[in-house]
mmCIF file of all heavy atoms in Angstrom:
data_model
loop_
_atom_site.group_PDB
_atom_site.id
_atom_site.type_symbol
_atom_site.label_atom_id
_atom_site.label_comp_id
_atom_site.label_asym_id
_atom_site.label_seq_id
_atom_site.Cartn_x
_atom_site.Cartn_y
_atom_site.Cartn_z
ATOM 1 N N ALA A 16 -105.264 -22.066 -154.847
ATOM 2 C CA ALA A 16 -106.220 -21.213 -155.470
ATOM 3 C C ALA A 16 -106.983 -22.067 -156.587
ATOM 4 O O ALA A 16 -108.171 -21.822 -156.771
ATOM 5 C CB ALA A 16 -105.481 -19.982 -156.197
ATOM 6 N N TRP A 121 -119.429 -39.210 -143.010
ATOM 7 C CA TRP A 121 -119.815 -37.773 -142.950
ATOM 8 C C TRP A 121 -121.252 -37.568 -143.342
ATOM 9 O O TRP A 121 -121.995 -36.758 -142.720
ATOM 10 C CB TRP A 121 -118.878 -36.941 -143.846
ATOM 11 C CG TRP A 121 -117.488 -36.898 -143.417
ATOM 12 C CD1 TRP A 121 -117.031 -37.069 -142.109
ATOM 13 C CD2 TRP A 121 -116.258 -36.631 -144.190
ATOM 14 N NE1 TRP A 121 -115.653 -36.996 -142.057
ATOM 15 C CE2 TRP A 121 -115.185 -36.724 -143.268
ATOM 16 C CE3 TRP A 121 -116.085 -36.473 -145.530
ATOM 17 C CZ2 TRP A 121 -113.874 -36.508 -143.776
ATOM 18 C CZ3 TRP A 121 -114.788 -36.221 -145.957
ATOM 19 C CH2 TRP A 121 -113.632 -36.255 -145.097
ATOM 20 N N GLU A 274 -116.932 -30.466 -145.549
ATOM 21 C CA GLU A 274 -115.893 -31.520 -145.750
ATOM 22 C C GLU A 274 -116.205 -32.278 -147.048
ATOM 23 O O GLU A 274 -115.249 -32.551 -147.796
ATOM 24 C CB GLU A 274 -115.994 -32.518 -144.573
ATOM 25 C CG GLU A 274 -115.401 -31.926 -143.265
ATOM 26 C CD GLU A 274 -113.867 -31.809 -143.372
ATOM 27 O OE1 GLU A 274 -113.216 -32.358 -144.275
ATOM 28 O OE2 GLU A 274 -113.361 -31.035 -142.563
ATOM 29 N N SER A 373 -91.174 -31.501 -142.101
ATOM 30 C CA SER A 373 -90.994 -30.044 -142.567
ATOM 31 C C SER A 373 -90.381 -30.092 -143.928
ATOM 32 O O SER A 373 -89.629 -31.042 -144.238
ATOM 33 C CB SER A 373 -90.324 -29.232 -141.580
ATOM 34 O OG SER A 373 -89.057 -29.790 -141.343
ATOM 35 N N GLU A 514 -57.348 -32.753 -166.625
ATOM 36 C CA GLU A 514 -58.317 -33.430 -165.681
ATOM 37 C C GLU A 514 -59.747 -32.991 -166.049
ATOM 38 O O GLU A 514 -60.682 -33.743 -166.158
ATOM 39 C CB GLU A 514 -57.930 -33.032 -164.254
ATOM 40 C CG GLU A 514 -58.811 -33.714 -163.250
ATOM 41 C CD GLU A 514 -58.479 -33.406 -161.825
ATOM 42 O OE1 GLU A 514 -57.452 -32.790 -161.647
ATOM 43 O OE2 GLU A 514 -59.320 -33.620 -160.895
ATOM 44 N N SER A 524 -69.623 -39.368 -172.234
ATOM 45 C CA SER A 524 -69.843 -40.848 -172.454
ATOM 46 C C SER A 524 -71.034 -41.258 -171.559
ATOM 47 O O SER A 524 -71.817 -42.091 -172.020
ATOM 48 C CB SER A 524 -68.543 -41.602 -171.953
ATOM 49 O OG SER A 524 -68.772 -42.972 -172.073
ATOM 50 N N LEU A 658 -137.445 -115.910 -161.073
ATOM 51 C CA LEU A 658 -138.417 -116.930 -160.696
ATOM 52 C C LEU A 658 -138.081 -118.255 -161.287
ATOM 53 O O LEU A 658 -138.070 -119.243 -160.545
ATOM 54 C CB LEU A 658 -139.771 -116.476 -161.111
ATOM 55 C CG LEU A 658 -140.280 -115.121 -160.503
ATOM 56 C CD1 LEU A 658 -141.644 -114.829 -160.998
ATOM 57 C CD2 LEU A 658 -140.220 -115.139 -159.062
ATOM 58 N N THR A 747 -146.632 -80.237 -140.390
ATOM 59 C CA THR A 747 -145.597 -79.471 -139.621
ATOM 60 C C THR A 747 -144.205 -80.063 -139.912
ATOM 61 O O THR A 747 -143.183 -79.439 -139.589
ATOM 62 C CB THR A 747 -145.901 -79.622 -138.154
ATOM 63 O OG1 THR A 747 -145.798 -80.981 -137.720
ATOM 64 C CG2 THR A 747 -147.253 -79.002 -137.838
ATOM 65 N N LEU A 758 -136.003 -94.447 -141.103
ATOM 66 C CA LEU A 758 -135.291 -95.077 -142.239
ATOM 67 C C LEU A 758 -133.794 -95.031 -142.219
ATOM 68 O O LEU A 758 -133.067 -95.981 -142.609
ATOM 69 C CB LEU A 758 -135.751 -94.327 -143.508
ATOM 70 C CG LEU A 758 -137.285 -94.519 -143.963
ATOM 71 C CD1 LEU A 758 -137.553 -93.531 -145.058
ATOM 72 C CD2 LEU A 758 -137.706 -95.838 -144.221
#
Side-chain angles (χ1 to χ4, degrees):
W121 291 337
E274 287 292 342
S373 54
E514 182 180 347
S524 176
L658 298 180
T747 61
L758 294 175

